[in-house]
Amino acid sequence: MIDQMTASLARIRFVLVETTHTGNIGAVARAMKTMGLSRLELVAPRHLPDAEALARASGADDLLEHAGIHETLVDALAGCRLVIGASARLRTIEWPLLEPPECAQQLLDESATGDVALVFGRESSGLTNAELARCHALVHIPTNPDFSSLNVAAAAQVLAYEIRRTARAEQGERLTDQPRDLATAEEMEGFYGHLTETLFAIRFGDPEQSHKLMRRLRRLFNRARPDRVELNILRGILSAAQGGKTARCDAER
């Protein structure tokens, strides 16, 4: 059974208008697939996907194989209930302007019940005003104003990530570490006793003035919260240090 997030992502189209370099088509396909997106539409590309596109896709060959090829943007947007255009520059015309997180949220909200599209313009000139007129809103990635040039594939990756991040947040997904078999309080006490004995054996510190040192060492290892394997390694090191010191003392005698 397809979950809601997968179904919503499948309704989001990435539309590339008159792409010049086939490598960019492949790179966009890769950016999409890494984030669970699969619907790629091409509007009058200068060249159809070729060997360079496949190389840049790095395994996202299926997206290139099933990409729609359209003569006009109107055809590529057929059936979409929401269209957002990606703009590399802020336009003088008044258009609803979104930041990437807001764009992702709107696309996901609308894709719950129908198809939506995110439109990317030409590498050199972006989208024309006529093409913008077919968009409900624009999304702008706030780049460094002194160097705002962003490759279409890089822009696609940023927006694809925002879409997936938002979708995961809605489902309550979070990255979690594998559970650790942490050392227990009594095991840590055994380690601290072993550590104290070893420090005295190797003559590190004065037994009469070691309380402050041990408090600091306890703080250090309590912050680290070692697991049982790590604690066994530490105790093995202590045992080796004690044995080494004993061997040296015997040799001196």
Side-chain angles (χ1 to χ4, degrees):
M1 183 177 178
I2 298 177
D3 61 36
Q4 180 60 45
M5 182 172 80
T6 301
S8 292
L9 293 178
R11 298 190 191 103
I12 300 176
R13 306 178 192 179
F14 272 42
V15 181
L16 305 184
V17 177
E18 296 185 6
T19 311
T20 301
H21 304 289
T22 58
N24 284 332
I25 298 175
V28 170
R30 179 181 184 179
M32 293 173 62
K33 189 163 185 176
T34 59
M35 298 299 151
L37 297 155
S38 59
R39 187 80 180 271
L40 177 61
E41 308 292 335
L42 306 176
V43 177
R46 179 171 296 183
H47 304 285
L48 294 177
D50 55 12
E52 184 182 357
L54 287 171
R56 293 286 300 279
S58 299
D61 303 12
D62 53 331
L63 269 67
L64 297 179
E65 181 182 351
H66 297 105
I69 310 294
H70 309 275
E71 292 185 3
T72 67
L73 180 58
V74 174
D75 293 338
L77 299 178
C80 288
R81 57 187 289 123
L82 175 68
V83 178
I84 298 178
S87 179
R89 60 184 185 278
L90 300 176
R91 303 281 179 153
T92 55
I93 56 175
E94 292 187 5
W95 230 267
L97 192 61
L98 307 173
E99 292 218 4
E102 299 168 324
C103 168
Q105 189 66 65
Q106 288 199 22
L107 289 170
L108 286 166
D109 289 345
E110 294 288 342
S111 68
T113 52
D115 284 4
V116 299
L118 183 57
V119 183
F120 297 85
R122 301 154 190 82
E123 291 99 330
S124 59
S125 57
L127 296 168
T128 66
N129 286 342
E131 290 161 346
L132 290 172
R134 300 192 181 281
C135 301
H136 297 95
L138 302 181
V139 58
H140 176 74
I141 299 172
T143 54
N144 175 5
D146 295 327
F147 189 73
S148 59
S149 177
L150 194 63
N151 176 270
V152 63
Q157 185 70 81
V158 170
L159 294 170
Y161 166 73
E162 284 293 348
I163 291 169
R164 186 165 189 85
R165 183 191 63 79
T166 303
R168 291 180 66 249
E170 288 182 347
Q171 291 207 341
E173 288 188 12
R174 295 187 62 185
L175 293 178
T176 56
D177 291 331
Q178 291 295 323
R180 297 173 62 211
D181 185 17
L182 295 173
T184 63
E186 57 269 28
E187 289 169 338
M188 290 303 298
E189 285 304 314
F191 165 70
Y192 292 133
H194 194 175
L195 178 60
T196 302
E197 292 173 2
T198 304
L199 293 177
F200 291 163
I202 64 174
R203 300 172 186 170
F204 186 91
D206 184 343
E208 300 300 324
Q209 300 178 351
S210 64
H211 300 296
K212 185 175 182 180
L213 171 63
M214 287 307 302
R215 280 199 302 270
R216 288 185 175 275
L217 289 173
R218 279 177 175 267
R219 285 170 53 194
L220 186 156
F221 287 108
N222 283 344
R223 285 198 304 270
R225 301 187 69 196
D227 59 35
R228 283 175 165 160
V229 172
E230 292 167 340
L231 199 66
N232 286 337
I233 292 172
L234 290 171
R235 296 200 67 167
I237 293 171
L238 295 179
S239 296
Q242 286 180 312
K245 179 61 179 177
T246 301
R248 285 195 300 274
C249 289
D250 291 343
E252 289 171 0
R253 294 192 188 96

